[in-house]
Amino acid sequence: MPCVLLKHGEVHLRGRNRDQFEQRLRNNLRSALRGIGGSTWIQDARSVTVLGGQVLLEELVERAGRVFGFNSVQPAVRVPSTVDAIYAAAVETLAAIKAERPGIAFAVRVRRRDKNFPLTSSRFEGQVGAHIRQELGLPVNLSAPDVELSIEIDRQGSYLSWVRHRGQGGVPVGSSGRALVLLSGGYDSPVAAYRAMRRGLACDFVHFTGAPYTNASSVYKAYALARELNRYQPAGRLHVIALGHAQKQLAVAGAGRLQVVAQRRLMVRAASALAREVGAAALVTGDSLGQVASQTLTNMATVDQAAELTVLRPLVGWDKQEIIDEAHRIGTAEISVLPDEDCCKLLAPERISTRAHVPEVERVERRLEMDELIEELIRKAQCMRPGDEDPGDGPSAAAGLPAQREVARCPAS
């Protein structure tokens, strides 16, 4: 029977909380399999999950490969835990590989979870290898084989695999709580969201636009990015906040070189208020220390002072090329390069202060009715559910982005 072996990562180190982490891992796997187009089944063994069903094996591998908490994803076949059944499956497997790649050298690795199996792992490795050599005439290479046949012997059945895909690793999404990601249209914040998910945070998203002074292109990008990121987690929601009028108020209040930092403080204030509504316990940003003028240590500290929640910066020590490379790997880079009108550039001064201290920014903020401003921003926020569209809400055929539509506020979790 074809199936997929999913090897657990950090979950097995969780001690007394291990059962809770494994349950979360199974739930996330079920969520990833939703809508796959056929029946599936999940079975558990110690530090391993086995996945199968009436679905193409490649599709199961692709879906499971996006679930955080699995270190490796291995297509496999399951056979009864008898010597003869394993011999037959091993020969059949290597014969199929030999037909495509003549002259390959192989090695056999056995792991015996069922200690009642009559042969030790090392002894059975030798016997299976000898049987394959006798039947197929293939050479053995234990140090650098072309094909490594892995045999895992369990009480319910034995599993033979010969391909190992790298899993996402990390811990199950949701096991560390919920966070709200400040999602722009660039490379950085989507990668930061991915890294936060990898550490177990279920993520909702908030995107700030320069509306009514900018067009909707940045919203389309944010929607597409959130939809791509939601392939790694049970779908999070995207909240859209129009910041244009508030940005103009800051400029009129005389922010000058402090404009960008003041805008960032406004964003984290609004995000903190929104986070309370959606049950998030932290904010996540894509800041990288020193990457741009607004991301100096002083400016970051000044922004953090306005936040009511912890601000997490998973990329604080990354350089730009590392971030771009990661964006390509996780599938967000192609969206991030699309053109848009970035609200951060709206009304931005020619020179940005790299040492904006709290007292001087607060002098600008005191010229505004800040509490009323934040309340209005949250009241007018819109909510979307990327990845959970109705048939009429799907991607635009021209741009690969969602069709524009009116959306309502999302309720709290």
Side-chain angles (χ1 to χ4, degrees), residues 64-65 67 70-73 165-169 194 198 329:
V67 179
F70 296 122
N71 271 3
S72 68
V73 180
H165 301 286
R166 178 183 173 187
Q168 297 297 332
Y194 169 87
R198 194 169 185 268
R329 189 183 71 79

Side-chain angles (χ1 to χ4, degrees), residues 58-249:
E58 293 80 5
E59 183 70 13
L60 292 176
V61 168
E62 196 276 333
R63 296 289 187 101
R66 288 183 172 268
V67 179
F68 292 104
F70 296 122
N71 271 3
S72 68
V73 180
Q74 300 173 221
V77 292
R78 184 170 69 180
V79 299
S81 291
T82 65
V83 172
D84 289 341
I86 295 172
Y87 279 169
V91 170
E92 183 178 351
T93 297
L94 267 296
I97 297 173
K98 178 184 177 182
E100 297 181 359
R101 300 163 59 190
I104 57 169
F106 75 97
V108 177
R109 315 293 187 198
V110 173
R111 183 176 181 183
R112 187 183 60 151
R113 290 198 184 90
D114 179 13
K115 301 307 179 183
N116 292 320
F117 190 77
L119 299 170
T120 65
S121 296
S122 57
R123 184 179 176 189
F124 195 46
E125 283 176 357
Q127 292 194 8
V128 174
H131 193 76
I132 292 171
R133 286 192 64 188
Q134 181 180 349
E135 294 292 324
L136 302 176
L138 292 174
V140 174
N141 187 331
L142 298 179
S143 58
D146 299 307
V147 176
E148 185 172 283
L149 180 64
S150 172
I151 302 173
E152 303 192 20
I153 301 170
D154 218 331
R155 187 168 300 175
Q156 299 90 347
S158 293
Y159 303 91
L160 286 76
S161 61
W162 52 98
V163 177
R164 181 189 297 264
H165 301 286
R166 178 183 173 187
Q168 297 297 332
V171 294
V173 168
S175 60
S176 299
R178 180 169 292 275
L180 183 63
V181 178
L182 279 68
L183 186 68
S184 69
Y187 288 110
D188 303 348
S189 57
V191 175
Y194 169 87
R195 285 282 151 178
M197 293 176 196
R198 194 169 185 268
R199 297 315 307 160
L201 286 171
C203 290
D204 288 316
F205 311 96
V206 58
H207 175 70
F208 294 91
T209 79
Y213 305 113
T214 58
N215 61 32
S217 58
S218 74
V219 180
Y220 290 180
K221 282 182 68 176
Y223 186 100
L225 288 167
R227 183 175 57 189
E228 184 66 28
L229 290 166
N230 277 342
R231 298 176 69 184
Y232 295 98
Q233 67 166 1
R237 294 161 296 185
L238 171 66
H239 304 267
V240 178
I241 295 179
L243 202 65
H245 285 313
Q247 291 176 272
K248 187 172 183 179
Q249 289 184 50

